Amino acid sequence: MTTSADTTEIIGILGGMGPAATADFYTTLVSMTPGRTDQERLRTVIWSDPTIPDRTEALLGDGPDPTPWLLNGSRVLREAGATVIAIPCNTAHAFVPRITDHVGLPIIHMIGEAARDLTALQPPVRTAGLLATTGTVRAGLYQEWLDRHGIQLVLPSADEQDQVMAAIRAVKAGDRAAARAPLADAAHQLTRRGAQAVIAGCTEVPLGLPADSVDVPLVDPAVSLARALIRRAQEALRP
């Protein structure tokens, strides 16, 4: 029997942004991989470095550039045998262009994969709401991808964005319960403005916002990333 472990692919997870989101992503990857035995799962190397400087602070000019840490983590994964890199942090993707040419491995773009999944929803989504860090919003990461597909993006107001950031910090501090109500309220405000789907554009958001708290589809980019990695590994098995 051919199993997932037979693939030459070794997934390198560049994590620690934050640690709980990294752990959740690995759990998602395992649960989504077809198979019933250990041997049918994917080989994975995880580098979880919580010392990576805050990505939003860097983008807002209030903190150090995390690029050297991202490069170092990529090197650790490559030396450990990884053949592809996944970064389960939306805001970190603002720095991906700075490291792509230096990593020596393909990086699966989580935001691009989320945009791909969003366009596959039925009925078709023409307007999507975004719950993300202020860094992701300011960097226009989702705007860039969704513009390519003709999808309009709805963003929280300034006060609502502060609420989203407070909820993200609560999840990072281990208080997921405190994040649920503010995230659900922010999602509701987005749907009131016409969002036909809401993007959980920070890997902490799904930890504090169950999908059943939102009355439209909740697109989780970490799920999109896991799906892309599994698809890539399965393609590597084909003759």
Side-chain angles (χ1 to χ4, degrees):
M1 179 177 66
T2 300
T3 70
S4 297
D6 292 322
T7 180
T8 56
E9 200 79 276
I10 300 177
I11 295 168
I13 299 176
L14 180 54
M17 305 170 282
T22 300
D24 183 69
F25 175 70
Y26 181 60
T27 298
T28 297
L29 180 64
V30 172
S31 66
M32 289 179 61
T33 304
R36 296 184 177 183
T37 66
D38 293 345
Q39 292 71 31
E40 293 174 287
R41 307 303 177 187
L42 297 171
R43 291 184 293 176
T44 308
V45 179
I46 301 173
W47 175 252
S48 183
D49 182 5
T51 70
I52 298 174
D54 187 276
R55 283 64 60 198
T56 288
E57 289 184 0
L59 289 170
L60 298 181
D62 297 327
D65 181 358
T67 301
W69 283 260
L70 297 173
L71 281 170
N72 178 66
S74 300
R75 184 173 63 252
V76 171
L77 293 171
R78 185 180 66 242
E79 292 176 354
T83 58
V84 63
I85 289 180
I87 308 175
C89 173
N90 289 265
T91 315
H93 280 68
F95 303 92
V96 165
R98 304 183 189 181
I99 68 173
T100 299
D101 293 338
H102 306 284
V103 170
L105 297 174
I107 299 173
I108 305 301
H109 203 288
M110 179 166 66
I111 295 176
E113 294 299 331
R116 172 178 173 164
D117 285 351
L118 186 62
T119 61
L121 291 178
Q122 292 295 330
V125 171
R126 299 304 178 199
T127 303
L130 177 64
L131 297 177
T133 66
T134 303
T136 293
V137 172
R138 295 276 184 90
L141 299 179
Y142 277 94
Q143 288 89 329
E144 177 184 347
W145 280 92
L146 296 188
D147 282 348
R148 302 179 188 181
H149 299 285
I151 298 176
Q152 181 180 355
L153 195 61
V154 179
L155 299 173
S157 68
D159 288 344
E160 292 160 1
Q161 183 60 36
D162 288 343
Q163 180 177 305
V164 171
M165 285 301 297
I168 290 171
R169 286 191 289 268
V171 173
K172 287 181 178 291
D175 192 355
R176 299 186 186 186
R180 180 166 184 166
L183 288 174
D185 179 64
H188 176 66
Q189 297 303 323
L190 293 174
T191 60
R192 283 187 59 194
R193 297 187 196 116
Q196 299 164 291
V198 172
I199 303 167
C202 171
T203 43
E204 273 77 28
V205 168
L207 301 183
L209 182 66
D212 59 10
S213 298
V214 185
D215 54 7
V216 297
L218 183 67
V219 176
D220 183 350
V223 170
S224 300
L225 179 58
R227 184 180 294 116
L229 291 166
I230 294 165
R231 183 170 59 246
R232 179 185 171 94
Q234 290 172 336
E235 289 173 352
L237 286 170
R238 295 173 186 167

